[in-house]
Amino acid sequence: MTRPDGRACDQLRPVTLTRRWSIHPEGSVLVEFGDTRVLCTASVTEGVPRWRKGSGLGWVTAEYAMLPRATTTRSDRESVRGKVGGRTHEISRLIGRALRACVDLKALGENSIVLDCDVLQADGGTRTAAITGAYVALHDAVTHLADRKLLKGGVDKALPRSVSAVSVGVIDGQARLDLCYLEDVRAEVDMNIICTDAGDFVEVQGTGEDGVFNRDQLNALLDLGLAGCASLTAAQRAVLEATA
Amino acid sequence: MTRPDGRACDQLRPVTLTRRWSIHPEGSVLVEFGDTRVLCTASVTEGVPRWRKGSGLGWVTAEYAMLPRATTTRSDRESVRGKVGGRTHEISRLIGRALRACVDLKALGENSIVLDCDVLQADGGTRTAAITGAYVALHDAVTHLADRKLLKGGVDKALPRSVSAVSVGVIDGQARLDLCYLEDVRAEVDMNIICTDAGDFVEVQGTGEDGVFNRDQLNALLDLGLAGCASLTAAQRAVLEATA
Amino acid sequence: MTRPDGRACDQLRPVTLTRRWSIHPEGSVLVEFGDTRVLCTASVTEGVPRWRKGSGLGWVTAEYAMLPRATTTRSDRESVRGKVGGRTHEISRLIGRALRACVDLKALGENSIVLDCDVLQADGGTRTAAITGAYVALHDAVTHLADRKLLKGGVDKALPRSVSAVSVGVIDGQARLDLCYLEDVRAEVDMNIICTDAGDFVEVQGTGEDGVFNRDQLNALLDLGLAGCASLTAAQRAVLEATA
Amino acid sequence: MTRPDGRACDQLRPVTLTRRWSIHPEGSVLVEFGDTRVLCTASVTEGVPRWRKGSGLGWVTAEYAMLPRATTTRSDRESVRGKVGGRTHEISRLIGRALRACVDLKALGENSIVLDCDVLQADGGTRTAAITGAYVALHDAVTHLADRKLLKGGVDKALPRSVSAVSVGVIDGQARLDLCYLEDVRAEVDMNIICTDAGDFVEVQGTGEDGVFNRDQLNALLDLGLAGCASLTAAQRAVLEATA
Amino acid sequence: MTRPDGRACDQLRPVTLTRRWSIHPEGSVLVEFGDTRVLCTASVTEGVPRWRKGSGLGWVTAEYAMLPRATTTRSDRESVRGKVGGRTHEISRLIGRALRACVDLKALGENSIVLDCDVLQADGGTRTAAITGAYVALHDAVTHLADRKLLKGGVDKALPRSVSAVSVGVIDGQARLDLCYLEDVRAEVDMNIICTDAGDFVEVQGTGEDGVFNRDQLNALLDLGLAGCASLTAAQRAVLEATA
Amino acid sequence: MTRPDGRACDQLRPVTLTRRWSIHPEGSVLVEFGDTRVLCTASVTEGVPRWRKGSGLGWVTAEYAMLPRATTTRSDRESVRGKVGGRTHEISRLIGRALRACVDLKALGENSIVLDCDVLQADGGTRTAAITGAYVALHDAVTHLADRKLLKGGVDKALPRSVSAVSVGVIDGQARLDLCYLEDVRAEVDMNIICTDAGDFVEVQGTGEDGVFNRDQLNALLDLGLAGCASLTAAQRAVLEATA
């Protein structure tokens, strides 16, 4: 019952957050959870979509996508197929909700931030890596607004909490943290946990992929996920402080 | 702190399952959770999609949609917009996973069942009503296959468990069961719980719509949801026995 | 040469108009012509599309669609296929023209009404049932506008006539009223007749599905259709008076 | 009450059928009804679509479209908008039904013919011109099949009748034949009549564009249309004989 | 090594420019290069797209398309497929760039011209015929603007140069001018040359379809193309002067 | 008249080819021309598309795309817009043609290679960087096929030549090599040159963006481009030899 890469059950893969990977966006991070590699960019626009004008509230949204050969076999491009698939839609919405949870839209004012999370290489946990990386890009984008005097309060007012995410799952009856692809496809239960730096939940999504799960299993997975998110929060803080 | 319709916090809305509402489908149920009204049909095809042929496994999938004026204001049709929206995709996938969780695809053999859940009238909880109704339609569709000797084992082998679903949420700090629309839009936390007749979880999706939630709140919501699902399971059993 | 359901050649199927079937729309009717079941809703918006602003004229339009399993075998959803099919387009346009024929757009003022006709169950004659039901929903929607003082004249000024529709056809050389599906697929000639309460024609569409037709046959079909529409007009009047 | 171009009420515009206008298609006709100019081509393929294989029956279908500047103001291309509009769908289906009415699909054998009707210049009556021209192109395509010994019987067996079409309408209370655009937009009643060479009806579509019509008006329009179709049938016969 | 139609290597096919082929557009030309036949129309609108308003600059754009049976075998319509293909996009963009090269957008003022180039019959060189014909249609459209006093300067200020185009290629090692389809499919090198009346290049696109090409071959092709464009320029001038 | 980054007119930007940047594809290169950064992957499939089966020939195709924030301002995703844009289509086709020019499709046998070129960061010259990088990825993909004994001849037979590409242009009357974005938008003439290792042309595309160009200018640009491609060919060879 060892893991494919020999990790302990409660151990994350090596996590790297390369801040300012791109020159154009107001915030950008190349996040790596092991071999999973996601480019997260934050694009700032002054103003909000028409239906929100005059509300005094900002707008934060996210789009997730995968390069065609991010995976072991090539997938057709959604642009070529002419439509966004269900999985892509679902994950984009999840990332958007997660990141909005750490923003005070009133303090953001009528400014818009789009978070683009493009998976360059996939090995499980792409949506949780995306959320974890996007938070850092979002922080830089909010700082960009603050630097240009476009926020009423400061960065801390607009971003009162941080958010990170990790996958957990049950494989062969064993609860494990941060599943790689080989584990993901075999998992009996698969759960994504999104937490704040205070250890509160933002979102919990647990699915019995190949069966069902009971309250004890749920609790064990929540414990693992909370610990994993705490480590990720520390990594986010480190990179934001290091290159401030 | 009373609910809009005067219910107790742990009380479901009136639930109606009108079996065989339609004449054409192999299974059909008009499910009502209060004013929420969803037509669930199960369509059987012998054979499976090409990519699954020869696997010996069946296929169960679901599609969810809303009539344009199921809601208080009219929405454009997705057919006219030329694409399925993110919310629709996300809910269709959720219903499909939920219903596959109660099917033994091997015992189903190479047969396909499509579950169509069309919301005729919406007042919150459409996805959970859809899952609860679709299970009954699925049961009739599997019985249809059994009657035609298209299953190796019996209905119980192909459908080893039942599934039902309910929404729970926190409004003004209070945990409540089966939110109607007025509650849904105000909920601080919103959770959908999908359970089997044995009280195991199939899926748990909790979101802090307007904030975050802690472990205690999560536990209170799970308790409410489990109790709600038990009542729905009883209603499903009653309608399946009554008109067998 | 008896009909599948034993009706006389000049006999309608049982017609039911369940008014206010839905709680949200300004007008709603579940119309049944035998086993054909169409939910017609009328949605009111103050104002008109941009290209019509300042004209002083209202706007009435219609959209027709079928649930995927309204029919004996399941059809793919048009939203999933990404486009509206030719048959759907053609029928939506027919319903729109028919209903606009009973509206005085000037008396309606700059208000818009969308008529959604969703076939929940199909057994022939869905477009004629839709028109017949939609008129009642439209009447309630116009009354809604009048009640809110949004019409210059009254309801009768904005709706100077009523409209109803029925199919007629030739099967085995015999002219028949209100074809069910089994008759529809075998018809040599198929005609849809749309009339006002005064017995004038709004639209006549006759097609030799499997051959051609002569002037005598055309006249026999018109006679049948006019009589059928007169009965439907009476049913519409009854339901509008009964629950006024 | 004179017509814009001074014609008598029962007079067609000058009709030209330029056969073999194009070099590639098996049949091609540039049809002109006054300033209305439609290029009709017939494309032959051996074999039929998959769903029809083994039926022994042929397949005839039609597609209608307009060049963007066929009209007084430019319209966007349907290819650029990414979808076929309702009007286009409706007319394509009408043309297809009309042309299938003159084909014996059994005698055609498992061969397919696509009729493309592209409006190069529009001045009213494009759909009726298209049908009238497409019949001549279809005749040449069927002759092409016969010449290659791909028909069991001869051309006359596969094409037992001819078909032509004309519009009629009521303007200022006056019934008129073959409306040009200026008349079409002002017509109180608009009707398209499709007839065989024997004077039988294939399709009759009458619409009260800006009002309703009674039985007498209907009869007057049918009389005009039948006479117009007889002239068009003669023109078709002439061009087919002239260049045989 | 004779050409399919017996032409000399440096000889154009017969070129016809039928000006004012259509009655509705502000400019229209049916251009023929041998059997290649393209209808070019120029549609004028006062004003420019929203993103260009207030710039003082005009807008010229082009759309290219082929009728489904312009070619030896029928192609599906792009409107039916729901998307514009890559080849169509590429040629539309090429034509647009070419025609913008002969317009002074400032002198055009805030007016828009759309050039539609629809291939009615294809036999090689459709894009170069389209450019050559579109220039004449553009000239008439600009004259239309000048006649209505919508230009600050005259026609010559807004159209300071003319543009024409021709294909050249290498077949069996031999450089040839104005390839027909049979030559086009066999060409080792294929080049499109777009020139002004002064003999300057607007665009040069050379491709080694089935191999590569060296500097000497490139030079030989450029010489041929320049001479061909000079002849086409003369033909354009002739038709513009003849019917001025 | 110095360049934005101080380069000489005939100087390339720093070029980096990071081979095997991704773990999944059979070939992958992160190519950098200064700040332009394109991820090129080559995906191998045994077999060819249906229409090519039995031909004995392989298939090589390319798709180009840009991440939404690869540029200074964010662009909407083509997947979200539901269609591939004209520019994307045009560049994908260019890359495909360029790479097919260095493949012997017969020696490749019935195998398919898809080249995906995704622009992670754009600063001018993305299409030429993509071609230059894709060649290296293609070489690794062909080697992968050879290693698995799926080629009849060796790698050199299937890839008889290499291909590289560079942009050149005229800015302020001065011919320059490898334009960055700031130069690209100001260029009077813009040309892309694609060459083999032998210095032959594969494709030449020159456009007078804001004017026209004469033969002398064309020749000066060709000279610059040939020299640039020779340097890029050397860089490709170095990286292929270094890590062979």
Side-chain angles (χ1 to χ4, degrees):
Chain A
M1 292 239 303
T2 52
R3 303 182 70 171
D5 50 6
R7 273 184 290 153
C9 283
D10 61 351
Q11 197 182 344
L12 293 172
R13 289 176 286 179
V15 172
T16 313
L17 293 159
T18 307
R19 204 171 151 202
R20 292 174 190 150
W21 196 81
S22 303
I23 56 172
H24 298 308
E26 287 72 30
S28 72
V29 171
L30 183 73
V31 56
E32 294 167 272
F33 280 21
D35 281 331
T36 285
R37 213 181 262 176
V38 185
L39 178 55
C40 306
T41 64
S43 298
V44 168
T45 326
E46 290 183 50
V48 285
R50 193 159 27 167
W51 51 268
R52 211 178 174 89
K53 272 184 188 152
S55 67
L57 301 175
W59 182 238
V60 174
T61 188
E63 290 186 6
Y64 167 97
M66 259 199 199
L67 294 196
R69 194 59 198 279
T71 42
T72 47
T73 55
R74 187 179 184 275
S75 309
D76 288 340
R77 287 175 193 271
E78 295 187 324
S79 58
V80 170
R81 287 208 311 254
K83 53 184 169 186
V84 173
R87 181 183 174 276
T88 300
H89 259 147
E90 188 175 316
I91 299 178
S92 294
R93 288 162 56 86
L94 174 70
I95 299 173
R97 284 196 304 271
L99 274 299
R100 278 191 293 277
C102 56
V103 176
D104 179 330
L105 293 172
K106 195 156 196 167
L108 189 60
E110 292 204 5
N111 296 295
S112 298
I113 300 176
V114 182
L115 298 158
D116 286 292
C117 301
D118 286 88
V119 179
L120 306 186
Q121 190 167 280
D123 186 30
T126 60
R127 77 189 73 186
T128 51
I131 290 167
T132 304
Y135 169 72
V136 176
L138 174 65
H139 196 281
D140 278 345
V142 171
T143 304
H144 170 97
L145 282 166
D147 290 350
R148 271 147 201 76
K149 313 288 179 209
L150 291 163
L151 296 186
K152 286 169 206 162
V155 172
D156 292 348
K157 187 122 191 276
L159 274 185
R161 56 178 80 94
S162 76
V163 76
S164 65
V166 76
S167 76
V168 288
V170 177
I171 292 101
D172 298 330
Q174 191 185 54
R176 295 184 185 170
L177 177 65
D178 187 22
L179 309 186
C180 67
Y181 179 70
L182 281 178
E183 295 175 313
D184 194 39
V185 292
R186 286 186 47 224
E188 295 117 48
V189 186
D190 181 21
M191 186 172 291
N192 291 297
I193 292 174
I194 310 177
C195 290
T196 65
D197 49 343
D200 286 319
F201 296 112
V202 167
E203 182 138 349
V204 169
Q205 288 201 345
T207 309
E209 289 293 341
D210 191 43
V212 297
F213 55 104
N214 60 33
R215 194 79 174 249
D216 287 343
Q217 289 176 304
L218 175 60
N219 281 324
L221 291 171
L222 292 171
D223 290 342
L224 267 184
L226 282 166
C229 282
S231 302
L232 293 167
T233 298
Q236 290 171 325
R237 191 173 299 142
V239 73
L240 282 170
E241 285 169 358
T243 55
Chain B
M1 291 242 301
T2 52
R3 304 181 68 170
D5 50 6
R7 272 184 290 152
C9 284
D10 61 351
Q11 197 181 344
L12 292 172
R13 290 177 286 179
V15 172
T16 313
L17 293 159
T18 306
R19 202 171 152 200
R20 293 173 188 148
W21 195 82
S22 303
I23 56 172
H24 298 309
E26 286 72 32
S28 73
V29 170
L30 183 73
V31 56
E32 294 167 272
F33 280 21
D35 281 330
T36 286
R37 212 182 261 175
V38 185
L39 178 55
C40 306
T41 63
S43 297
V44 169
T45 326
E46 291 182 49
V48 285
R50 196 161 21 170
W51 50 270
R52 212 177 174 88
K53 270 184 190 152
S55 67
L57 301 174
W59 183 237
V60 173
T61 188
E63 290 184 5
Y64 166 97
M66 261 200 196
L67 294 196
R69 194 57 197 281
T71 42
T72 48
T73 55
R74 187 179 183 276
S75 309
D76 288 340
R77 286 176 193 270
E78 296 187 324
S79 58
V80 170
R81 287 207 311 253
K83 54 183 169 187
V84 173
R87 181 183 174 277
T88 299
H89 259 148
E90 186 175 318
I91 300 178
S92 293
R93 288 164 55 88
L94 174 70
I95 299 173
R97 284 197 305 269
L99 274 299
R100 279 193 292 277
C102 58
V103 176
D104 179 330
L105 292 173
K106 194 155 196 169
L108 188 60
E110 292 203 6
N111 297 295
S112 297
I113 300 176
V114 181
L115 298 158
D116 286 292
C117 300
D118 286 88
V119 179
L120 307 186
Q121 190 166 277
D123 186 30
T126 60
R127 76 190 73 185
T128 51
I131 291 168
T132 304
Y135 169 72
V136 176
L138 174 65
H139 195 281
D140 278 346
V142 171
T143 304
H144 171 95
L145 281 168
D147 291 350
R148 270 148 202 77
K149 315 289 180 207
L150 291 165
L151 296 186
K152 284 171 205 160
V155 172
D156 291 349
K157 187 120 192 277
L159 275 184
R161 57 178 79 95
S162 76
V163 75
S164 65
V166 76
S167 77
V168 289
V170 176
I171 292 102
D172 298 331
Q174 190 185 55
R176 294 184 186 172
L177 177 64
D178 186 22
L179 309 187
C180 68
Y181 179 71
L182 281 178
E183 294 175 314
D184 194 39
V185 292
R186 289 187 45 225
E188 295 117 49
V189 186
D190 181 21
M191 185 172 292
N192 291 297
I193 292 174
I194 310 176
C195 291
T196 66
D197 49 344
D200 285 319
F201 296 112
V202 166
E203 183 138 347
V204 169
Q205 288 201 343
T207 309
E209 290 292 342
D210 191 42
V212 297
F213 55 105
N214 60 31
R215 193 79 173 249
D216 288 343
Q217 288 175 305
L218 174 60
N219 281 324
L221 291 173
L222 292 171
D223 290 340
L224 267 184
L226 281 167
C229 282
S231 301
L232 293 168
T233 299
Q236 290 171 324
R237 191 173 298 143
V239 73
L240 281 170
E241 284 169 358
T243 55
Chain C
M1 291 239 302
T2 52
R3 302 182 70 170
D5 51 6
R7 274 185 289 153
C9 283
D10 61 352
Q11 197 182 344
L12 294 171
R13 289 177 285 179
V15 171
T16 313
L17 293 159
T18 307
R19 203 172 152 201
R20 293 172 190 153
W21 196 81
S22 303
I23 55 172
H24 298 308
E26 287 72 32
S28 72
V29 170
L30 183 73
V31 56
E32 294 166 271
F33 279 21
D35 281 329
T36 286
R37 213 181 261 175
V38 185
L39 179 56
C40 306
T41 64
S43 297
V44 169
T45 326
E46 290 182 50
V48 284
R50 197 161 19 169
W51 50 270
R52 210 178 175 88
K53 271 184 188 152
S55 66
L57 301 174
W59 183 237
V60 173
T61 188
E63 291 186 5
Y64 166 97
M66 260 200 197
L67 294 196
R69 194 59 197 281
T71 42
T72 47
T73 55
R74 188 179 183 275
S75 309
D76 287 340
R77 287 174 193 271
E78 295 187 324
S79 58
V80 170
R81 286 208 312 255
K83 53 184 168 185
V84 174
R87 180 183 175 275
T88 299
H89 259 147
E90 187 175 318
I91 299 178
S92 294
R93 287 162 57 86
L94 175 71
I95 299 173
R97 285 197 305 270
L99 274 299
R100 278 191 293 276
C102 57
V103 176
D104 179 330
L105 292 173
K106 193 156 196 166
L108 188 61
E110 292 203 5
N111 296 295
S112 297
I113 300 176
V114 181
L115 298 158
D116 286 292
C117 300
D118 286 90
V119 179
L120 306 186
Q121 191 166 279
D123 186 31
T126 59
R127 77 190 73 185
T128 52
I131 290 167
T132 305
Y135 169 72
V136 176
L138 174 65
H139 195 282
D140 278 345
V142 171
T143 305
H144 170 95
L145 282 167
D147 291 350
R148 269 147 203 77
K149 313 289 179 210
L150 292 164
L151 297 185
K152 285 168 205 162
V155 172
D156 291 350
K157 189 121 190 279
L159 274 184
R161 56 178 80 94
S162 76
V163 76
S164 66
V166 76
S167 76
V168 288
V170 177
I171 290 102
D172 298 331
Q174 192 186 54
R176 294 183 186 172
L177 178 65
D178 187 22
L179 309 186
C180 67
Y181 179 71
L182 281 178
E183 294 175 314
D184 194 39
V185 292
R186 288 187 47 225
E188 294 118 49
V189 186
D190 180 22
M191 186 172 289
N192 292 297
I193 292 174
I194 310 177
C195 291
T196 66
D197 49 344
D200 285 319
F201 296 112
V202 167
E203 182 137 350
V204 169
Q205 288 201 343
T207 309
E209 290 291 342
D210 190 42
V212 296
F213 55 105
N214 59 32
R215 193 78 173 251
D216 289 343
Q217 288 175 306
L218 175 60
N219 281 324
L221 291 172
L222 292 171
D223 291 340
L224 268 185
L226 282 167
C229 282
S231 301
L232 293 168
T233 298
Q236 290 171 325
R237 190 173 301 142
V239 73
L240 282 170
E241 286 168 358
T243 55
Chain D
M1 291 240 302
T2 52
R3 303 183 68 170
D5 49 7
R7 273 184 291 153
C9 284
D10 61 351
Q11 197 182 345
L12 293 172
R13 289 176 287 179
V15 172
T16 314
L17 292 159
T18 307
R19 203 172 151 201
R20 293 173 189 151
W21 195 81
S22 303
I23 56 172
H24 298 308
E26 287 72 31
S28 72
V29 171
L30 183 73
V31 56
E32 293 166 271
F33 279 22
D35 281 331
T36 286
R37 211 181 264 175
V38 185
L39 177 55
C40 305
T41 63
S43 297
V44 170
T45 327
E46 290 182 49
V48 284
R50 195 161 21 171
W51 51 269
R52 211 178 173 87
K53 270 185 189 150
S55 67
L57 301 174
W59 183 237
V60 174
T61 188
E63 290 185 6
Y64 166 97
M66 260 198 197
L67 293 197
R69 194 58 197 282
T71 42
T72 47
T73 55
R74 187 179 184 275
S75 309
D76 288 339
R77 286 175 193 271
E78 296 187 325
S79 58
V80 170
R81 287 208 312 254
K83 53 184 169 184
V84 173
R87 181 184 175 277
T88 299
H89 259 148
E90 187 174 318
I91 299 178
S92 293
R93 288 162 56 86
L94 174 70
I95 300 173
R97 284 197 305 270
L99 274 300
R100 278 192 293 276
C102 57
V103 176
D104 179 330
L105 292 173
K106 194 156 195 167
L108 188 60
E110 293 203 4
N111 296 295
S112 297
I113 300 176
V114 181
L115 298 158
D116 286 291
C117 300
D118 286 88
V119 179
L120 306 187
Q121 190 167 279
D123 186 30
T126 60
R127 75 189 76 184
T128 52
I131 290 168
T132 303
Y135 169 71
V136 177
L138 174 64
H139 195 282
D140 277 347
V142 171
T143 304
H144 171 96
L145 280 167
D147 290 351
R148 271 147 201 76
K149 315 289 180 208
L150 290 165
L151 296 186
K152 285 169 204 162
V155 172
D156 291 349
K157 188 124 191 274
L159 275 184
R161 56 178 79 94
S162 76
V163 75
S164 65
V166 76
S167 76
V168 289
V170 177
I171 291 101
D172 297 331
Q174 189 185 54
R176 294 182 185 172
L177 178 65
D178 187 22
L179 310 186
C180 68
Y181 179 72
L182 281 178
E183 295 174 314
D184 194 40
V185 292
R186 288 187 45 226
E188 296 118 47
V189 187
D190 181 21
M191 186 172 291
N192 291 297
I193 292 174
I194 310 176
C195 290
T196 67
D197 48 344
D200 286 318
F201 296 112
V202 167
E203 183 136 349
V204 169
Q205 289 201 343
T207 308
E209 291 292 342
D210 192 42
V212 297
F213 55 105
N214 60 31
R215 192 79 172 249
D216 288 343
Q217 289 175 304
L218 175 61
N219 280 323
L221 291 172
L222 292 171
D223 290 342
L224 268 184
L226 282 166
C229 282
S231 301
L232 293 168
T233 298
Q236 291 171 324
R237 191 173 299 144
V239 74
L240 281 170
E241 284 169 0
T243 54
Chain E
M1 290 240 303
T2 53
R3 302 183 70 170
D5 50 5
R7 274 185 289 152
C9 283
D10 61 352
Q11 196 182 345
L12 293 172
R13 290 176 285 179
V15 172
T16 315
L17 292 159
T18 307
R19 203 172 151 200
R20 293 174 190 147
W21 195 82
S22 303
I23 56 173
H24 299 309
E26 287 72 31
S28 72
V29 171
L30 183 73
V31 57
E32 295 166 271
F33 279 21
D35 282 329
T36 285
R37 210 181 263 175
V38 185
L39 178 55
C40 305
T41 65
S43 297
V44 169
T45 325
E46 292 182 48
V48 285
R50 196 162 19 170
W51 51 270
R52 212 178 173 86
K53 272 186 187 150
S55 66
L57 301 174
W59 183 238
V60 174
T61 188
E63 290 185 7
Y64 167 96
M66 260 199 196
L67 293 197
R69 193 59 197 280
T71 42
T72 47
T73 55
R74 186 179 184 275
S75 308
D76 287 340
R77 287 174 192 272
E78 296 186 325
S79 59
V80 171
R81 288 208 309 254
K83 52 183 169 188
V84 173
R87 181 184 174 276
T88 299
H89 259 147
E90 187 174 317
I91 299 177
S92 294
R93 287 162 56 87
L94 175 70
I95 299 173
R97 284 196 306 269
L99 274 299
R100 278 192 294 275
C102 56
V103 177
D104 179 330
L105 292 173
K106 194 156 196 168
L108 188 61
E110 293 203 5
N111 297 295
S112 298
I113 300 177
V114 182
L115 298 159
D116 286 291
C117 301
D118 286 89
V119 179
L120 306 186
Q121 191 166 278
D123 186 31
T126 60
R127 76 189 74 185
T128 52
I131 290 167
T132 304
Y135 169 72
V136 177
L138 174 65
H139 195 280
D140 278 346
V142 172
T143 304
H144 170 95
L145 282 167
D147 291 349
R148 270 148 202 75
K149 315 287 181 211
L150 291 164
L151 296 186
K152 285 168 205 164
V155 172
D156 291 349
K157 187 120 191 276
L159 274 185
R161 57 177 79 94
S162 76
V163 75
S164 65
V166 76
S167 76
V168 288
V170 177
I171 291 102
D172 298 332
Q174 189 185 56
R176 294 183 185 172
L177 177 65
D178 186 21
L179 309 187
C180 67
Y181 179 71
L182 281 178
E183 294 175 315
D184 193 40
V185 293
R186 287 186 47 223
E188 294 118 49
V189 186
D190 180 23
M191 185 172 291
N192 291 297
I193 292 175
I194 310 176
C195 291
T196 66
D197 50 344
D200 285 318
F201 297 112
V202 167
E203 182 138 349
V204 170
Q205 289 200 343
T207 308
E209 289 291 343
D210 191 42
V212 297
F213 56 105
N214 59 33
R215 194 77 173 253
D216 288 343
Q217 288 176 306
L218 175 59
N219 281 323
L221 291 172
L222 292 171
D223 290 341
L224 268 185
L226 282 166
C229 282
S231 302
L232 293 168
T233 299
Q236 290 171 325
R237 191 173 300 142
V239 74
L240 282 169
E241 284 168 359
T243 55
Chain F
M1 289 239 302
T2 52
R3 302 182 69 171
D5 49 7
R7 273 184 290 152
C9 283
D10 61 352
Q11 195 182 347
L12 293 172
R13 290 176 285 179
V15 172
T16 313
L17 293 158
T18 307
R19 202 171 153 202
R20 293 175 189 149
W21 195 81
S22 303
I23 55 172
H24 299 309
E26 286 73 30
S28 72
V29 170
L30 183 73
V31 56
E32 294 166 272
F33 279 20
D35 281 331
T36 285
R37 209 181 266 175
V38 185
L39 178 55
C40 306
T41 64
S43 297
V44 170
T45 326
E46 291 183 48
V48 284
R50 197 160 22 168
W51 51 269
R52 212 178 175 86
K53 272 185 188 150
S55 66
L57 301 174
W59 184 238
V60 174
T61 188
E63 290 185 5
Y64 167 97
M66 259 199 199
L67 293 196
R69 193 60 197 281
T71 42
T72 47
T73 55
R74 187 180 184 274
S75 309
D76 288 340
R77 287 174 192 271
E78 296 187 323
S79 58
V80 170
R81 287 208 311 257
K83 53 183 170 188
V84 173
R87 181 183 174 277
T88 299
H89 259 147
E90 189 174 316
I91 299 178
S92 293
R93 287 162 57 87
L94 175 70
I95 300 173
R97 284 197 305 270
L99 274 299
R100 278 192 293 277
C102 57
V103 176
D104 179 330
L105 292 173
K106 194 155 195 169
L108 189 60
E110 292 203 4
N111 297 295
S112 297
I113 300 177
V114 181
L115 298 159
D116 286 291
C117 300
D118 286 89
V119 179
L120 307 186
Q121 191 167 278
D123 186 30
T126 60
R127 76 189 75 185
T128 51
I131 290 168
T132 304
Y135 169 72
V136 176
L138 174 65
H139 195 281
D140 277 345
V142 171
T143 304
H144 170 95
L145 281 167
D147 291 349
R148 271 150 200 75
K149 313 290 180 209
L150 291 164
L151 296 186
K152 284 169 206 163
V155 172
D156 291 350
K157 188 123 191 276
L159 275 185
R161 57 178 78 94
S162 76
V163 75
S164 66
V166 76
S167 76
V168 289
V170 177
I171 291 101
D172 297 331
Q174 189 186 55
R176 294 185 185 170
L177 177 66
D178 187 23
L179 309 186
C180 68
Y181 179 72
L182 281 178
E183 295 175 313
D184 194 40
V185 292
R186 288 187 46 227
E188 295 117 47
V189 186
D190 180 22
M191 186 172 294
N192 291 298
I193 292 174
I194 310 176
C195 291
T196 66
D197 48 344
D200 286 319
F201 296 112
V202 167
E203 183 137 350
V204 169
Q205 289 201 342
T207 308
E209 290 293 342
D210 192 42
V212 297
F213 56 104
N214 60 31
R215 193 79 173 249
D216 288 344
Q217 289 175 303
L218 175 59
N219 280 324
L221 291 172
L222 292 171
D223 290 341
L224 267 185
L226 282 167
C229 282
S231 302
L232 293 168
T233 299
Q236 291 172 323
R237 191 173 300 144
V239 73
L240 282 171
E241 284 169 359
T243 54

